[in-house]
Amino acid sequence: MRVLLLSLCLLCHGLVAAEEVRLTNGEWAPYLGARLPHQGVASRIVEEAFALEGIEVKWEFYPWARSMHLAERGERAGTAVWLRSPEREALFFISEPVVDSTYYFFHRKDRPLDWQQVSDLKGRQLGGALGYDYGADFQRAESHGQIQVKRLSGEEQGLRMILAGRLDAFPMDKVVAFALLNDKFSSAERAQMSFHPHPLRSDSLHLMLSREVPGNAELIARFNKGLLQLRESGKVARYLLEVQQPLSLAP
């Protein structure tokens, strides 16, 4: 009986001692995705950085608006991964950069695009995903009617409209675009696509922990510590290379 009681006490102590953080997530391959290996490379980086601090991540995948809403209200500890902004800094503790994201204009090879500033895009039929922020210059020109932008429900739709000749260009993170083209499009379709080398915007993406959850200030500090250790080990660079190397527009 004593042995049984001791075993139960040790088990209960282990359950209490185990640290866990519940985070929301969304679909944005190859960075994030419920069915991707490691739930995506950005999820893998977040999870392993926390693991170095003895914390287990429990992911919950939702549409992006719900992911943000649950974390913002403190119903979940936080959410991954997002752009930093003053509005978000007021609501969240924001981590050091998890991954970098650079957007380019994708277009058909036989309909080349030449631009250096947003004003050069006047008269072009541009696309964009609903809710996406493509940088201050783009957003301002769009809101003032200086450029024509058709906002769509998803990025795959934007690429298909380019192929159909219904859009001149669509802005996307290059790694995301390559992954989508490799996963959802034929080799013949990929061979028609190109992108302009001038970036529309380049930013870092971050883990955000809600200011409504007690202890999150300490938790973000521990995450940043684990993230630095993971980065210095070379694993972050290796994981990113692993997902990017197979991706190509080649047939």
Side-chain angles (χ1 to χ4, degrees):
M1 180 63 71
R2 288 181 180 177
V3 173
L4 178 60
L5 288 173
L6 179 60
S7 298
L8 288 172
C9 287
L10 289 172
L11 176 61
C12 291
H13 175 75
L15 291 172
V16 171
E19 291 189 75
E20 181 180 293
V21 60
R22 302 190 77 84
L23 302 174
T24 63
N25 207 329
E27 297 293 328
W28 201 46
Y31 294 115
L32 310 159
R35 294 178 177 82
L36 295 175
H38 308 284
Q39 286 75 56
V41 65
S43 303
R44 183 181 191 180
I45 292 167
V46 169
E47 192 168 323
E48 292 193 12
F50 267 126
L52 290 170
E53 288 293 302
I55 300 166
E56 181 181 2
V57 174
K58 296 293 185 182
W59 293 112
E60 297 181 12
F61 284 82
Y62 301 102
W64 286 112
R66 180 159 172 75
S67 282
M68 175 66 81
H69 181 72
L70 288 169
E72 190 176 292
R73 292 168 59 91
E75 295 178 31
R76 302 295 185 274
T79 182
V81 286
W82 299 82
L83 294 169
R84 180 190 292 273
S85 72
E87 295 77 17
R88 288 171 181 170
E89 287 175 346
L91 298 169
F92 295 95
F93 299 105
I94 299 180
S95 75
E96 293 297 314
V98 175
V99 293
D100 293 321
S101 172
T102 304
Y103 277 71
Y104 298 88
F105 280 111
F106 280 75
H107 61 87
R108 253 175 36 185
K109 286 179 181 176
D110 62 354
R111 297 176 69 169
L113 179 73
D114 187 21
W115 81 287
Q116 291 299 317
Q117 52 191 15
V118 173
S119 60
D120 296 334
L121 301 168
K122 186 177 180 179
R124 294 281 192 169
Q125 295 292 326
L126 307 174
L130 286 168
Y132 278 47
D133 183 339
Y134 296 108
D137 291 345
F138 185 98
Q139 302 291 120
R140 188 183 308 111
E142 179 186 8
S143 65
H144 292 170
Q146 296 166 347
I147 56 175
Q148 294 178 296
V149 183
K150 186 176 182 63
R151 292 283 180 161
L152 305 169
S153 60
E155 293 179 305
E156 180 180 348
Q157 184 183 3
L159 294 177
R160 294 201 180 279
M161 287 182 70
I162 289 175
L163 287 168
R166 296 169 60 195
L167 290 177
D168 293 317
F170 190 90
M172 286 189 68
D173 174 284
K174 186 173 74 171
V175 177
V176 172
F178 276 35
L180 185 57
L181 286 162
N182 275 263
D183 187 42
K184 299 288 188 178
F185 293 75
S186 69
S187 59
E189 289 171 325
R190 288 197 302 274
Q192 297 179 58
M193 295 295 296
S194 186
F195 66 94
H196 193 277
H198 182 61
L200 175 61
R201 71 175 300 173
S202 185
D203 304 275
S204 53
L205 302 175
H206 307 256
L207 169 69
M208 304 197 307
L209 298 183
S210 175
R211 291 184 181 270
E212 296 295 318
V213 177
N216 267 359
E218 178 191 1
L219 194 61
I220 202 75
R222 292 176 66 186
F223 172 77
N224 284 335
K225 181 181 175 185
L227 180 62
L228 178 61
Q229 186 178 341
L230 192 68
R231 196 175 298 282
E232 289 180 341
S233 73
K235 288 184 177 180
V236 170
R238 176 160 59 84
Y239 295 159
L240 291 169
L241 188 62
E242 284 174 359
V243 297
Q244 293 178 44
Q245 266 188 330
L247 303 177
S248 170
L249 294 182

